[in-house]
Amino acid sequence: MVAGVIAAAGLITGAVLLITAVTGAFPRQTFAPGETVSVSLKRDPQPAFYVTDAGSPDDSCYAQGPDGQRIDPRRLSANTHITVNDNGTQWHVLSRLRLPSDGTYQVTCLKSATNAGARYGIGTPPKAARIAVAILIPVGALAIALVITIVTAVRRNAHRRRLMAPPPGYV
């Protein structure tokens, strides 16, 4: 019974954490190339620019802070790819923003001849650590439940054998 409760709690917790990590990964606000939108952004977790398949990793986006300061994003390394699928639209994380503070920012991605059909977005990409925790919690809970089940079975079997054994000194 206890093992079942631990296993169920671990699976439910892992599912909730995974859903939370993934659903928060989509862009909160989308816009076209050359369009400027105002968006409220938090410094942590770091927001990121997203682009659809019609865009390119070379696309240039930036944010402008409440004080008018231009903030250029930090590109992801060449071997880092984060892609999320939102109802058939694939969003790729283009770059991350290091903001000086929380606030309302003007964001834009420059229009070029190659990105006319692209859509851009701003949001918070999933963190690998959150996804790993969402996977490790159910695995750990199932391991604990398995250990409890094995220990219980071994102890019950030993107890049953003691009950069936003749008392000491019985001939």
Side-chain angles (χ1 to χ4, degrees):
M1 169 97 172
V2 172
V5 171
I6 290 173
L11 290 172
I12 291 169
T13 302
V16 168
L17 289 174
L18 190 59
I19 290 168
T20 303
V22 172
T23 55
F26 302 120
R28 290 183 301 175
Q29 190 161 358
T30 64
F31 50 96
E35 183 181 352
T36 300
V37 294
S38 291
V39 62
S40 177
L41 298 173
K42 293 189 182 286
R43 183 173 184 235
D44 189 39
Q46 277 186 348
F49 283 104
Y50 288 77
V51 64
T52 58
D53 286 332
S56 152
D58 297 327
D59 290 347
S60 179
C61 301
Y62 64 91
Q64 191 168 6
D67 59 357
Q69 175 190 6
R70 179 178 165 144
I71 302 161
D72 290 314
R74 187 177 49 126
R75 294 214 175 272
L76 297 179
S77 66
N79 57 359
T80 303
H81 300 286
I82 302 173
T83 302
V84 291
N85 194 333
D86 182 22
N87 295 330
T89 302
Q90 288 209 344
W91 291 98
H92 308 282
V93 177
L94 186 61
S95 52
R96 289 188 182 263
L97 278 169
R98 285 192 179 172
L99 301 174
S101 62
D102 297 352
T104 301
Y105 290 82
Q106 305 292 319
V107 294
T108 190
C109 293
L110 302 176
K111 189 174 188 174
S112 69
T114 60
N115 69 357
R119 288 292 295 168
Y120 294 92
I122 188 86
T124 306
K127 292 194 174 206
R130 291 186 75 190
I131 293 172
V133 167
I135 293 170
L136 289 176
I137 286 176
V139 169
L142 290 173
I144 290 169
L146 181 63
V147 168
I148 290 171
T149 302
I150 290 170
V151 168
T152 302
V154 168
R155 290 182 57 137
R156 282 184 180 174
N157 189 33
H159 183 68
R160 190 176 325 117
R161 285 186 181 177
R162 277 193 307 272
L163 290 175
M164 292 171 52
Y170 182 75
V171 183

